[in-house]
Amino acid sequence: MSGRYDDVILSYYDTILYQADVDLLSGPHWLNDAIISFYLEYLEKEKYSGTNILLISPAVTQCLKASPLAELSIFLDPLQTLEKDFIFMPLNDCEDLRSPGGTHWSLLVYSKPENTFYHLDSSNESNDRQARSLSFKLSGYLKLNKSYYFKSLDSLQQDNMYDCGIYMLCNIENLAEYVLRNKRIEGAKLIKRSNVVTKRFFISELINSLAQR
């Protein structure tokens, strides 16, 4: 890849994208934290501002995995987490909890109206253990007294080793639009494969457009 990490392409609120980040969108590459954080921040600012949806960044999700229950409030209180009905978390399989990374992305969502953690994984529940562990920890912060449900939702399955991040972002947007209309997650339909196919190009064009403002 030709991109470098001293070539800033876009500064968008709390996210800085370099050429090396943007290059990940143009080929068969795994999406990193920077691209995912950017798109979640875009959704938060441009589409879901003022709603009861909370989109948590990959970096904060990793901190939640690494921190004891007593410290979760450090990360979640500033986000007004307890006031939100739907909490979306990009989850990866990184075992080194001191740093971001990993090889697979999936989506964990908490629905307050349904008192349920939902996990959507585009690779046969590869992240099931991480999803259940984080759900259990978050149930303590949310004061659910361990009385909650955990459910694996059907997800469109990827047919390669690198598009998990794209599937995860498509699942986020699909569910977010659904809960805004229906106030629940149960009953949401699968994403369309055509949306997955075009998502890399859409995000790349979005970055170009914002960079030209």
Side-chain angles (χ1 to χ4, degrees):
M1 292 169 53
S2 60
R4 301 188 310 172
Y5 280 103
D6 54 0
D7 299 326
V8 175
I9 300 300
L10 175 66
S11 177
Y12 183 81
Y13 292 95
D14 294 331
T15 301
I16 295 178
L17 291 178
Y18 297 89
Q19 186 64 55
D21 300 317
V22 179
D23 285 348
L24 296 175
L25 294 164
S26 63
H29 306 297
W30 188 82
L31 297 190
N32 63 8
D33 288 49
I35 291 293
I36 290 172
S37 294
F38 156 73
Y39 196 63
L40 294 188
E41 194 156 22
Y42 167 77
L43 293 177
E44 176 190 354
K45 303 296 185 184
E46 308 291 341
K47 295 190 69 174
Y48 307 133
S49 176
T51 70
N52 59 355
I53 290 174
L54 173 62
L55 304 177
I56 294 181
S57 72
V60 171
T61 302
Q62 191 70 0
C63 289
L64 299 178
K65 290 167 59 180
S67 303
L69 173 60
E71 296 180 5
L72 297 192
S73 59
I74 297 173
F75 307 102
L76 294 175
D77 284 0
L79 302 177
Q80 300 179 309
T81 303
L82 296 176
E83 300 177 16
K84 300 296 184 177
D85 285 343
F86 299 94
I87 305 168
F88 288 69
M89 291 159 282
L91 184 67
N92 66 48
D93 61 350
C94 179
E95 297 292 344
D96 183 357
L97 300 181
R98 298 167 298 178
S99 63
T103 60
H104 181 61
W105 292 105
S106 63
L107 173 62
L108 182 64
V109 187
Y110 176 67
S111 169
K112 184 187 295 184
E114 296 157 295
N115 192 33
T116 301
F117 287 93
Y118 292 93
H119 185 224
L120 290 85
D121 195 326
S122 61
S123 183
N124 297 314
E125 295 301 316
S126 297
N127 281 355
D128 182 75
R129 180 172 59 83
Q130 287 86 352
R132 290 180 183 274
S133 176
L134 183 54
S135 297
F136 179 78
K137 185 185 294 188
L138 288 171
S139 72
Y141 171 81
L142 297 169
K143 296 179 172 56
L144 304 180
N145 297 318
K146 301 180 182 178
S147 177
Y148 64 92
Y149 300 97
F150 179 95
K151 184 173 183 179
S152 295
L153 279 187
D154 289 339
S155 173
L156 192 66
Q157 297 293 289
Q158 63 193 84
D159 54 9
N160 56 50
M161 299 298 291
Y162 50 82
D163 265 340
C164 53
I166 292 293
Y167 279 78
M168 186 265 294
L169 292 177
C170 288
N171 279 328
I172 288 176
E173 211 161 353
N174 181 57
L175 283 187
E177 296 295 330
Y178 184 82
V179 301
L180 288 176
R181 296 191 305 269
N182 300 282
K183 314 304 180 187
R184 68 178 189 274
I185 288 180
E186 289 290 344
K189 296 182 179 180
L190 296 179
I191 57 176
K192 297 179 180 179
R193 194 167 296 278
S194 57
N195 292 343
V196 176
V197 171
T198 59
K199 200 65 171 179
R200 285 179 182 269
F201 177 77
F202 174 82
I203 297 175
S204 180
E205 289 298 293
L206 174 62
I207 292 170
N208 290 335
S209 175
L210 293 173
Q212 293 172 14
R213 282 186 181 180

